[in-house]
Amino acid sequence: MRGGLRLPGPYSGDAAWAANRFPQDGHDDRWNEPEPPLFSLPATRAAARIEAPGIGHGGNGVIVWMKQKRRTWPLLRFVSRRPRRWVFLGVVLLLGCFVGYFYRSEVAISAIWIPDMESISFGKKPLPPPLERTQITNYTLPLGTKGRHIVDVEGRRFKLASINWYGASDELFVPGGLDVQHRKVIAQTIKKLGFNSVRLPYADELVSKNPVIDARLVRANTDLVGLRALDILEAVTTTLTEQ
């Protein structure tokens, strides 16, 4: 072919055949020449010849290099085509987790405690006798301090043996166990175990809001049903003092 241009390197073929196909008149013999093969392109590209209408017997042969599309996973294509659907499903899943969490919390609060066999057998065993030195009745009240020691009126040293009764400082604002045992039974058990003082913490919010306590939390103390948090706390401290 006239005016042919060979490409160096791994590419083979004649790059000038497309330029030579522009006819000067309607009877150019170059249209009868066989077309050279397309370039041998790298694997990442593809060649295509687009026939466009032009001058002469045919059209202008134009070689176009097109970059192949990157392969994507079907799941990624599905997500990219429907992003709103995935956002909606994510919001629904998140709301479902919150609803399930609050539902399980409510079920746990309303469930009745059933003791296991080990707790039942322990409750049937007699408690050991308390130590005499821990009994407050053996000392003359009121108590005071002398240096770093706690003493009674007669100057005898008194040692605290305390137990913690939690619940009033938590989010429910009520001492624990009032739905299982009467407060008098709990106070007597504390004394029988040899404790002479009780740590009874409470929350500042209990004093400021003083909410009405749920009846399920004091079901073993029917006289406390319908009372507020401060009234229940006062009833518990009064029962402990009477023991």
Side-chain angles (χ1 to χ4, degrees):
M1 295 180 62
R2 295 185 298 273
L5 176 62
R6 293 287 180 177
L7 294 179
Y11 303 101
S12 62
D14 197 336
W17 67 272
N20 293 333
R21 289 187 60 181
F22 288 99
Q24 303 297 328
D25 51 31
H27 303 284
D28 199 326
D29 295 336
R30 287 176 294 178
W31 289 103
N32 299 325
E33 296 180 2
E35 296 180 355
L38 295 176
F39 300 135
S40 58
L41 303 176
T44 57
R45 296 179 179 274
R49 183 164 58 85
I50 303 175
E51 294 292 345
I55 305 174
H57 298 287
N60 298 330
V62 181
I63 296 179
V64 181
W65 286 16
M66 296 182 298
K67 192 174 182 180
Q68 289 183 347
K69 294 183 178 180
R70 294 183 179 179
R71 297 181 60 183
T72 57
W73 296 100
L75 180 60
L76 296 179
R77 290 199 301 268
F78 180 79
V79 173
S80 61
R81 292 175 183 175
R82 300 173 176 85
R84 294 183 179 179
R85 179 180 299 180
W86 282 98
V87 172
F88 176 75
L89 292 178
V91 172
V92 171
L93 181 61
L94 186 61
L95 291 177
C97 293
F98 277 110
V99 172
Y101 171 77
F102 286 113
Y103 175 77
R104 293 180 60 183
S105 301
E106 290 295 328
V107 171
I109 292 176
S110 59
I112 300 176
W113 178 72
I114 301 177
D116 53 7
M117 295 303 300
E118 185 178 357
S119 300
I120 295 175
S121 60
F122 177 80
K124 293 180 179 180
K125 295 179 181 179
L127 296 175
L131 299 176
E132 290 294 332
R133 64 175 181 270
T134 62
Q135 298 298 312
I136 191 66
T137 54
N138 298 331
Y139 295 85
T140 305
L141 301 179
L143 299 176
T145 58
K146 184 178 182 180
R148 63 185 182 91
H149 300 299
I150 300 175
V151 296
D152 64 354
V153 175
E154 299 177 0
R156 293 181 299 174
R157 183 180 175 184
F158 177 78
K159 290 186 177 181
L160 293 176
S162 299
I163 187 173
N164 184 69
W165 192 349
Y166 72 95
S169 59
D170 297 341
E171 58 182 2
L172 299 178
F173 306 121
V174 60
L178 297 181
D179 57 334
V180 180
Q181 285 285 1
H182 196 274
R183 59 187 181 277
K184 291 184 179 180
V185 177
I186 298 176
Q188 292 172 359
T189 304
I190 292 174
K191 184 178 180 180
K192 289 179 181 179
L193 289 174
F195 297 101
N196 54 31
S197 59
V198 178
R199 179 179 181 267
L200 194 64
Y202 62 91
D204 294 339
E205 191 175 358
L206 182 149
V207 180
S208 61
K209 292 186 176 181
N210 194 21
V212 177
I213 301 301
D214 191 349
R216 296 175 297 178
L217 302 176
V218 291
R219 61 166 60 98
N221 296 260
T222 55
D223 57 326
L224 301 181
V225 175
L227 298 182
R228 295 185 176 273
L230 282 176
D231 299 329
I232 295 177
L233 186 63
E234 181 182 1
V236 171
T237 54
T238 301
T239 303
L240 291 173
T241 305
E242 292 174 353
Q243 300 300 318

